[in-house]
Amino acid sequence: MTTVSETAVRTTPVTGAASEAVLAVRDLRIRDEVNDRMIVRGVSFELTPGKVVGIVGESGSGKTLTCRAALGILPAHFAVSGGSIEITGRDIAALTPAQWVGLRGGTVSAVFQDPASYLNPSIRVGAQIAEVILVKLGLGRRAARHRALELLAAVHLRQPALVYDQYPFELSGGMLQRVLIAAAIAADPKVLIADEATTALDVTVQAEILDLLADLRERTGLALVVVSHDLAVVAQLCDEVLVMHAGEVVEHGPTARVLYEPRHDYTRLLIAGHEEYGLERFLDSPEVDGVR
Amino acid sequence: MAVTVADHPFTYVRRAGVATARARRVAGRTAAIAARSVAIFVPVFVVATFVTFSLRALSGLSPARIQLGEDATPAAIHNIEHEWGLDRPFLAQYWTWLDGVLHGRLGDSWANGASISELIRDGLAISLSVAGLALLIGVVLGFGLGTLAALRHTTWIDRGITGFTTVISVMPPFVVGILLVEVFAVGLRWFPSGGYVPAAAGVGPWLAHITLPALALSFDTVSDVARQLRAGLIAAYRENYVTGAVVRGLSPRRIFFRHVLRNGAGPALTVLGLRFPVLIGGSVVTEWVFGLQGFGRFANDSAQRGDVPAVQGVLVVSIVLVVAFNLIVNVVLGRVAPASQRGV
Amino acid sequence: MLRLRSARVAVGILVLIALLAALGSVLAPQDPLAGGADTLAGVSGRHWLGTDYLGRDVFSRLLAGSRVSVLGSVEVALIALVLGTIPGVLSVYLSRVFEWLTLRLADTLVALPFLIFAVSVTALLGNGITQAMFTVGVLVSPLFYRVARAATLPVARSQYVEAAMISGASTGWIVRRHVWAKVLPPVAVALAHTIGVGFIVVSSLTFLGIGVQPPAPTWGGLLASDLGYLDFQPYAPIAPVLLIVATVWGCNLLADAIRDVSGQEGRALLNSGRARANRVLAEGEGR
């Protein structure tokens, strides 16, 4: 674990042993009130600092709704009908909108698929990052700009000063996702949810983004929830995997165990499908033991 | 933040260069927009002036008729026309006139020989006061109502405002003017029913005289702006970048003012730009209703009198006003919402 | 479309107005031009809406005046339709020069304040409502140009038209078969809306005394004289105002109804092409 300077660097171990859970989802159930259907039926997992949990499943499996519930942005007509979510120990059911505003960005944050659409097309990207710092950390404009530039460098963007002044339409998908990650971590959250964050990107860029996330997790103890339909993405980064199918968790366990000894048919199906595309290079590498 | 400069050094030296490059780019973009508007204006100007100039020849009108009446002898007519230079070749007349226009001289009125530029200038002072206030009312009320309707989307407030704007939009300015006069001037006697007092003589009376006409003129604009803004804001709220901002922990108020409004206001601002010609056109009737001796009234009177150079001057000034205003709107749009300039 | 209640209301209003226009002078109980001694009278059994300052029956004048308004509005709309739609569709198929020229022309025409131009042209070319309406029609035609062009672009470059072209269909056939269907609904919307606009313009012009010589009755003209006698007959403007407002509202309702209906039916086709159409349109406009 590298320490870079005496300023706020987290020194918690990568797989936090006796740390308090930063995100605890217990038997979460989400209901579609319009059609009166249960969409998510009992999801449970815990995140401690530095831990990475992956959620795998196809479209409609309920993984995105789970994330949205954890962020408090469930669409209209969807509601948590059972179970609980706790962020740093606080039950989110009791939160007011104002409290949510405080929690988001500073404690829990997210990046999504299609990075271009999640940035305001009329404002330069640097200003959008600086805005988060300005509002959440209370810094002045110059200090916020300085920090924003640091963040752009931290997400491995070359020429941060140049990128700072670009509009979203002037940047590529990979660069935009880095910008979004920078904005997401600007206020030092404890949890970052990455919902299909690499799906819209080229394979090479995808690998770079995943490396970046691993890097951030190592250096700052950021806890991650990585959601994907792609098992390879999850295999590369996660300590623990949940496999979801039709709203239920069909498999849950350490990554190595799930991949080597799948217990559920659906998991086996996923793995079999992926083996055609080269998952095996992850299966035999030494990194998948949970110790990096 | 866990990462510091020591980790990932970058140069500050570039900052100054980036700033000037940025300023230059902004200036360039603005200049491009301005240039494009001017480029469209030039052919318009030439064609329109040529057409209006030809109309005189087509109409067979002449100052002689105005000044001498119906029973003028051909010799007298010929004399007067010669005096006015109307027996010169057509293109020569056009060139002289155009040359004068480009130097700000719009010629003299056939009716009384007065300088048209002066007459128009006097009239414009009144018309622009009214139009300016109308625009202000249009923007303030339009934005207010549009925002309210969008924020309280699907509630009765939204439905009420939409109904109200629909009603307003079908009422022509002179109808509204008449109604306002009836209710507020004749009925309640809160406002004078006509006439004008220049601001120099007192802001209070000045406002009292221009409020009703400005209100009448503005209804169309209020309705359009409110409708466009409402639609634009509702659409903007559905965009992913709002979710992005929410997830970063920005407050709803900040999201509205800095993100949603900026992008949602595009269509409303565009509509505003398109309203200005209508405002000028509308002044023709409102000035009649409220007895204002403004630009529109002058246009109307000159037209009815057959005072061709005055009419030509009116048309030229109208074009210039509209183009200038559109230029301003385009530049503002370019700065506030560059996305809309790219047809996004 | 007549399933929509709003459409039924709109059509109802408009048909009524059209009937008034056609049969107004016949239906009028009194001669609209005949004055009398009983000036500025109130509502009575003989004069349903009272009389004006010359003793003429207001109701009859209103009925007789509907013709000018309706004819003028329709004239504006038809001129704008023809002058705008044809170049609009053609601009997609003819040369780039034509496209550029018509685009720029549309841009400039839109910028001109049509009331002032109408007033000016009428003054210069004779005090007839036709000249004025022609001018307004020309100035409003850019709307039809834009609408027709925007509807034609996605079709012209869509894949099923490419397929038709490959299998040997001529451009004329394609235009008739495919483009027409796509262009018709938005043009119909624009037409309904423009008739409403035309109504406002006619009322405004006749209000100013342009286009029709008194004593011929017009709705605008009625309002103008009402204005002079407001102290005596404060409620006089209500009838012509209601008529004008109802007609314009009917036109707008009709336009919205057409838009809703065509939107629903055409939505599946439109949606796939819309994003592309927007981009193409933006490119074509050089913005």
Side-chain angles (χ1 to χ4, degrees):
Chain A
M1 176 76 194
T2 49
T3 55
V4 197
S5 74
E6 67 276 7
T7 53
V9 171
R10 308 232 182 98
T11 49
T12 47
V14 170
T15 45
S19 334
E20 189 189 290
V22 286
L23 176 64
V25 176
R26 298 196 179 100
D27 196 34
L28 180 69
R29 290 165 195 281
I30 301 178
R31 207 172 124 252
D32 174 358
E33 285 169 342
V34 169
N35 300 321
D36 199 21
R37 283 188 315 148
M38 293 300 290
I39 306 291
V40 174
R41 293 172 243 191
V43 175
S44 302
F45 63 88
E46 254 185 36
L47 266 187
T48 49
K51 183 170 164 188
V52 181
V53 165
I55 307 183
V56 178
E58 57 198 23
S59 314
S61 56
K63 50 193 205 301
T64 297
L65 276 178
T66 308
C67 296
R68 288 190 151 235
L71 288 161
I73 52 172
L74 278 175
H77 308 305
F78 284 89
V80 173
S81 63
S84 72
I85 302 181
E86 281 178 18
I87 299 181
T88 55
R90 293 163 77 180
D91 191 332
I92 63 164
L95 291 176
T96 66
Q99 287 169 323
W100 264 118
V101 169
L103 216 55
R104 293 185 196 120
T107 310
V108 59
S109 193
V111 288
F112 302 93
Q113 193 175 347
D114 188 17
S117 67
Y118 283 90
L119 284 168
N120 189 330
S122 307
I123 305 180
R124 296 171 213 274
V125 301
Q128 299 191 48
I129 303 177
E131 178 180 31
V132 181
I133 301 171
L134 218 99
V135 170
K136 307 295 287 186
L137 299 180
L139 296 182
R141 285 190 63 188
R142 294 186 121 242
R145 188 195 149 92
H146 181 105
R147 287 272 227 236
L149 286 163
E150 282 182 352
L151 283 164
L152 286 174
V155 294
H156 305 162
L157 276 168
R158 287 189 298 265
Q159 302 180 308
L162 214 58
V163 172
Y164 190 93
D165 282 327
Q166 306 286 81
Y167 284 99
F169 74 91
E170 294 171 307
L171 298 172
S172 71
M175 297 169 87
L176 286 169
Q177 194 61 292
R178 291 178 209 270
V179 165
L180 276 165
I181 293 175
I185 60 174
D188 258 342
K190 301 195 169 56
V191 180
L192 177 65
I193 300 178
D195 187 355
E196 304 273 14
T198 54
T199 307
L201 305 172
D202 296 335
V203 172
T204 43
V205 179
Q206 183 170 305
E208 288 169 15
I209 298 291
L210 292 175
D211 282 341
L212 170 63
L213 288 174
D215 187 34
L216 286 171
R217 167 246 189 123
E218 268 181 37
R219 275 190 286 119
T220 69
L222 186 63
L224 293 169
V225 177
V226 177
V227 175
S228 183
H229 63 273
D230 188 346
L231 207 47
V233 165
V234 164
Q236 185 178 332
L237 201 51
C238 305
D239 306 318
E240 202 177 294
V241 170
L242 281 87
V243 178
M244 284 186 73
H245 179 64
E248 283 180 359
V249 179
V250 299
E251 187 107 36
H252 183 180
T255 315
R257 204 272 300 150
V258 170
L259 292 179
Y260 277 114
E261 295 155 23
R263 286 186 200 141
H264 195 273
D265 284 335
Y266 182 67
T267 320
R268 271 181 267 242
L269 204 64
L270 281 179
I271 296 175
H274 274 278
E275 267 169 2
E276 291 184 54
Y277 299 103
L279 181 59
E280 61 273 12
R281 53 193 168 94
F282 296 115
L283 290 177
D284 288 322
S285 70
E287 281 150 35
V288 190
D289 287 329
V291 176
R292 295 178 200 220
Chain B
M1 182 58 209
V3 184
T4 63
V5 180
D7 225 16
H8 302 271
F10 62 93
T11 53
Y12 274 100
V13 173
R14 206 184 262 128
R15 211 162 148 212
V18 169
T20 42
R22 176 177 171 175
R24 222 177 304 141
R25 241 182 317 165
V26 168
R29 231 197 308 259
T30 314
I33 297 173
R36 220 199 330 254
S37 304
V38 171
I40 297 177
F41 164 55
V42 169
V44 177
F45 190 66
V46 170
V47 170
T49 52
F50 193 75
V51 166
T52 60
F53 202 79
S54 336
L55 284 176
R56 188 210 74 80
L58 285 173
S59 70
L61 290 173
S62 88
R65 197 143 302 152
I66 302 180
Q67 293 182 5
L68 299 180
E70 284 301 322
D71 40 39
T73 64
I77 294 179
H78 181 80
N79 280 339
I80 291 196
E81 291 193 351
H82 179 76
E83 216 180 282
W84 283 89
L86 291 173
D87 50 354
R88 289 164 60 225
F90 176 74
L91 283 178
Q93 292 183 43
Y94 177 59
W95 183 246
T96 318
W97 178 74
L98 193 60
D99 185 53
V101 166
L102 291 174
H103 287 95
R105 295 188 308 269
L106 293 170
D108 300 322
S109 159
W110 284 357
N112 52 24
S115 156
I116 295 179
S117 314
E118 275 181 29
L119 290 172
I120 289 186
R121 205 195 347 251
D122 293 337
L124 265 185
I126 301 177
S127 300
L128 286 181
S129 309
V130 174
L133 186 59
L135 208 58
L136 190 66
I137 296 177
V139 167
V140 168
L141 265 188
F143 264 72
L145 288 176
T147 309
L148 201 57
L151 289 179
R152 296 280 172 269
H153 179 43
T154 71
T155 64
W156 63 270
I157 296 182
D158 177 21
R159 273 196 297 264
I161 293 180
T162 309
F164 178 64
T165 53
T166 312
V167 166
I168 301 184
S169 68
V170 295
M171 304 179 75
F174 70 96
V175 164
V176 177
I178 294 180
L179 286 178
L180 286 177
V181 166
E182 270 215 78
V183 173
F184 289 103
V186 173
L188 292 172
R189 299 198 180 272
W190 284 356
F191 290 95
S193 63
Y196 179 76
V197 170
V203 177
W206 174 67
L207 276 179
H209 281 268
I210 63 172
T211 302
L212 285 186
L215 204 54
L217 213 50
S218 71
F219 269 21
D220 246 351
T221 311
V222 166
S223 154
D224 271 356
V225 168
R227 217 182 338 203
Q228 291 295 336
L229 190 66
R230 174 186 173 277
L233 287 180
I234 290 178
Y237 262 115
R238 291 207 190 110
E239 293 287 332
N240 281 339
Y241 60 80
V242 173
T243 310
V246 165
V247 143
R248 275 173 244 144
L250 301 178
S251 68
R253 186 200 215 124
R254 193 181 178 96
I255 293 179
F256 175 74
F257 281 106
R258 277 209 82 208
H259 294 273
V260 172
L261 193 58
R262 189 177 265 225
N263 291 315
L269 285 176
T270 313
V271 144
L272 205 56
L274 294 173
R275 299 311 300 177
F276 198 62
V278 178
L279 280 181
I280 296 191
S283 70
V284 173
V285 265
T286 46
E287 285 169 14
W288 205 103
V289 171
F290 289 97
L292 298 167
Q293 291 299 328
F295 179 71
R297 188 65 193 273
F298 179 70
N300 189 20
D301 290 343
S302 309
Q304 306 241 16
R305 275 196 299 249
D307 187 349
V308 173
V311 169
Q312 290 168 339
V314 160
L315 292 179
V316 166
V317 171
S318 306
I319 298 174
V320 169
L321 279 176
V322 167
V323 170
F325 190 74
N326 275 336
L327 190 78
I328 297 175
V329 166
N330 277 336
V331 166
V332 167
L333 258 185
R335 293 283 283 139
V336 162
S340 67
Q341 290 300 92
R342 297 190 313 277
V344 162
Chain C
M1 181 188 78
L2 285 174
R3 276 172 284 149
L4 269 182
R5 196 185 69 145
S6 60
R8 268 182 273 163
V9 170
V11 170
I13 295 177
L14 294 178
V15 164
L16 189 64
I17 303 287
L19 279 177
L20 276 185
L23 306 172
S25 356
V26 173
L27 289 177
Q30 333 245 325
D31 178 5
L33 299 177
D38 190 15
T39 60
L40 296 175
V43 174
S44 69
R46 208 179 114 103
H47 300 285
W48 291 0
L49 290 174
T51 62
D52 69 358
Y53 66 101
L54 284 180
R56 299 175 290 199
D57 179 33
V58 171
F59 184 62
S60 308
R61 286 180 70 84
L62 265 183
L63 285 182
S66 50
R67 168 168 296 173
V68 172
S69 304
V70 171
L71 283 183
S73 328
V74 171
E75 184 191 334
V76 168
L78 286 181
I79 290 177
L81 174 78
V82 168
L83 287 182
T85 316
I86 297 179
V89 173
L90 286 180
S91 72
V92 176
Y93 287 103
L94 295 185
S95 68
R96 280 252 150 196
V97 171
F98 182 79
E99 186 183 32
W100 188 87
L101 273 178
T102 47
L103 268 174
R104 296 284 79 87
L105 190 62
D107 276 343
T108 64
L109 284 177
V110 145
L112 306 176
F114 51 71
L115 212 51
I116 290 197
F117 267 77
V119 165
S120 314
V121 166
T122 340
L124 296 176
L125 293 182
N127 205 25
I129 200 80
T130 317
Q131 292 93 314
M133 292 299 104
F134 184 79
T135 317
V136 176
V138 167
L139 290 179
V140 176
S141 58
L143 172 67
F144 285 88
Y145 174 83
R146 288 238 168 90
V147 162
R149 184 183 154 82
T152 315
L153 272 175
V155 174
R157 307 192 187 172
S158 72
Q159 288 172 336
Y160 65 88
V161 170
E162 273 179 30
M165 280 174 23
I166 290 174
S167 48
S170 74
T171 308
W173 184 86
I174 293 176
V175 167
R176 261 177 288 130
R177 187 93 193 295
H178 294 287
V179 171
W180 185 238
K182 276 290 167 310
V183 163
L184 196 58
V187 164
V189 172
L191 188 68
H193 178 74
T194 308
I195 294 183
V197 169
F199 232 97
I200 296 185
V201 173
V202 173
S203 314
S204 307
L205 286 176
T206 53
F207 177 76
L208 292 173
I210 289 179
V212 186
Q213 298 295 352
T218 58
W219 292 356
L222 252 86
L223 271 176
S225 62
D226 285 343
L227 197 60
Y229 295 95
L230 221 47
D231 288 331
F232 298 95
Q233 279 187 326
Y235 300 113
I238 293 184
V241 163
L242 271 183
L243 273 177
I244 297 176
V245 165
T247 316
V248 176
W249 185 56
C251 290
N252 285 345
L253 261 188
L254 188 63
D256 284 343
I258 300 178
R259 183 188 303 140
D260 286 343
V261 168
S262 65
Q264 284 158 12
E265 286 168 354
R267 187 165 296 156
L269 283 166
L270 276 177
N271 272 339
S272 59
R274 186 175 294 149
R276 215 161 16 115
N278 281 340
R279 250 187 300 122
V280 170
L281 191 61
E283 283 170 61
E285 308 251 288
R287 287 189 199 137

